[in-house]
Amino acid sequence: MATASPPLTSSLKFTSTSFRTRTSLPTCSFSPKLLRPLPSFSAKASRKQVEIVFDPDERLNKIGDDVDKEAPLSRLKLFSPCKINVFLRITGKREDGFHDLASLFHVISLGDTIKFSLSPSKSKDRLSTNVSGVPVDARNLIIKALNLYRKKTGSNKFFWIHLDKQVPTGAGLGGGSSNAATALWAANQLNGGLVSEKELQDWSSEIGSDIPFFFSHGAAYCTGRGEIVQDLPSPFPFDLPMVLIKPREACSTAEVYKRLRLDQTSNVDPLTLLENVTNNGVSQSICVNDLELPAFQVLPSLKRLKQRVIASGRGEYDAVFMSGSGSTIVGIGSPDPPQFIYDDEEYKKVFLSEANFMTREANEWYKEPASATATTSSSESRLEIPNEM
């Protein structure tokens, strides 16, 4: 005996899971005429449910991504690497009070990260940072660089900037100068590339002697006050490791130069040093720094630190020297500090970082390494700074 089909049913259910859509659902109504009978396989009919989720956040994110693709560039995240001076000769004093130098500068993989966004303000930049004690007003070289860019180009754009600081201050590593160069490059990008990199490089010497170097490709022979930059191919393999050791005490550049006596500097020709390092790589005899002696007078413990690193390294380092005007001691050839750095109470709070030499491609800024390592000697584990975007 045939059984009658069950009454027609249909269920339309909206829940918070299952099917996702990136577009809004059109408003619609359902008419019984449009519903087809469900097939009957037995006395018990199947019932079909449709589960739909509308995720507004996901849709808004997609709209934002689409807008970013169509709109002019409005934000940037850039790596701001520091440098070391492989050798540094002071060759004379100028009439303007500055000193002439001749130095092989090279960018290394330790650096800060800076985020730039266009600001709705038409009168002021806003700078924030993760480190206390770093000025966030017009004293900061980032703000000086942005003011310089507007002065030179007539741009009326202002910025929100966040500086994630990893490079210590007062270290002889040019962290502030790198920040300024990075800000100039970012401002030019966010203004549609109004000027050339050469113009940015030339302007930058107005606010700092080391800033023009960072517009090289990462290795350069610098003369004058440091603003005359001769771009060079890197003479070093990029997998050559180094360790940076900076005591808690900083060296005042002004105080170091105040104690400098030209009759106590090296007499080796800087071009000879450049030729030797190009042909033979790094060695202790090449890594001359005429500012070491006055810096050691300002900070006697720095001389002792260098001597102990050399003695404890037992040949592990190809060269040990001070960078810039101090107070960072660089050991090239190994990423590891001597054990006494961890054991002695005197060095409990020194800054440590491993690094490598690096350069940049033409028309691009420096790329952040996959990871960087910085710590203090009292830390049980190293602070890993991932490459995030």
Side-chain angles (χ1 to χ4, degrees), residues 87 104 220-221 230 232 235 269-279 286:
F87 64 79
L104 176 58
Y221 180 63
Q230 179 185 344
L232 298 172
D269 186 341
L271 289 176
T272 300
L273 294 175
L274 183 61
E275 182 181 4
N276 287 342
V277 76
T278 301
N279 294 332
I286 286 171

Side-chain angles (χ1 to χ4, degrees), residues 48-353:
K48 185 179 290 185
Q49 289 187 340
V50 180
E51 296 187 350
I52 300 175
V53 166
F54 174 57
D55 187 340
D57 290 336
E58 189 170 348
R59 177 173 178 265
L60 288 174
N61 287 337
K62 182 177 184 301
I63 292 173
D65 292 340
D66 291 342
V67 169
D68 279 348
K69 290 177 183 177
E70 299 298 328
L73 187 64
S74 61
R75 56 192 175 189
L76 278 174
K77 179 181 177 183
L78 297 174
F79 184 57
S80 179
C82 64
K83 57 82 182 171
I84 60 171
N85 301 85
V86 180
F87 64 79
L88 174 56
R89 288 288 338 277
I90 306 298
T91 57
K93 189 168 184 179
R94 302 153 53 108
E95 292 183 359
D96 60 8
F98 289 95
H99 288 78
D100 280 316
L101 60 83
S103 177
L104 176 58
F105 284 56
H106 208 299
V107 164
I108 61 173
S109 57
L110 172 66
D112 304 329
T113 302
I114 314 179
K115 296 178 181 178
F116 299 88
S117 299
L118 286 176
S119 169
S121 171
K122 295 299 180 184
S123 61
K124 188 177 182 181
D125 298 303
R126 188 178 72 186
L127 173 63
S128 62
T129 181
N130 64 322
V131 177
S132 61
V134 174
V136 293
D137 54 19
R139 294 172 295 168
N140 192 292
L141 279 170
I142 292 175
I143 303 298
K144 289 182 179 181
L146 296 175
N147 286 335
L148 178 67
Y149 185 85
R150 284 186 289 266
K151 174 185 173 182
K152 295 291 188 179
T153 64
S155 169
N156 63 352
K157 291 183 179 179
F158 288 79
F159 303 93
W160 288 334
I161 313 102
H162 180 73
L163 170 62
D164 186 357
K165 196 75 180 157
Q166 301 296 326
V167 179
T169 57
L173 298 174
S177 296
S178 174
N179 292 167
T182 304
L184 283 170
W185 197 87
N188 198 43
Q189 293 296 303
L190 293 169
N191 277 274
L194 296 178
V195 298
S196 67
E197 280 191 19
K198 182 64 170 65
E199 289 173 289
L200 296 176
Q201 184 180 52
D202 292 343
W203 297 344
S204 68
S205 64
E206 296 183 20
I207 57 174
S209 299
D210 289 351
I211 303 173
F213 158 69
F214 290 96
F215 289 100
S216 73
H217 290 114
Y221 180 63
C222 299
T223 54
R225 293 183 289 115
E227 85 283 8
I228 302 172
V229 179
Q230 179 185 344
D231 222 335
L232 298 172
S234 175
F236 309 113
F238 295 147
D239 60 354
L240 178 62
M242 70 184 77
V243 62
L244 310 177
I245 308 171
K246 183 202 172 293
R248 295 177 64 184
E249 300 86 0
C251 276
S252 162
T253 300
E255 189 64 29
V256 170
Y257 272 101
K258 185 178 178 180
R259 297 188 182 224
L260 174 68
R261 290 181 53 182
L262 292 174
D263 60 349
Q264 295 180 341
T265 60
S266 170
N267 58 10
V268 63
D269 186 341
L271 289 176
T272 300
L273 294 175
L274 183 61
E275 182 181 4
N276 287 342
V277 76
T278 301
N279 294 332
N280 305 313
V282 70
S283 66
Q284 191 65 52
S285 63
I286 286 171
C287 296
V288 174
N289 186 344
D290 286 336
L291 295 181
E292 280 193 0
L293 181 59
F296 293 165
Q297 293 171 357
V298 173
L299 199 61
S301 60
L302 194 59
K303 178 180 181 180
R304 186 166 63 252
L305 173 60
K306 178 188 174 183
Q307 291 173 335
R308 291 193 66 181
V309 172
I310 292 174
S312 301
R314 297 190 176 95
E316 188 175 7
Y317 305 110
D318 299 322
V320 177
F321 56 93
M322 185 184 80
S323 180
S325 58
S327 59
T328 299
I329 299 296
V330 182
I332 294 183
S334 172
D336 301 315
Q339 187 59 39
F340 77 85
I341 293 292
Y342 296 108
D343 295 341
D344 288 14
E345 186 70 21
E346 180 181 357
Y347 302 108
K348 185 176 180 180
K349 294 294 184 180
V350 300
F351 171 89
L352 296 175
S353 179

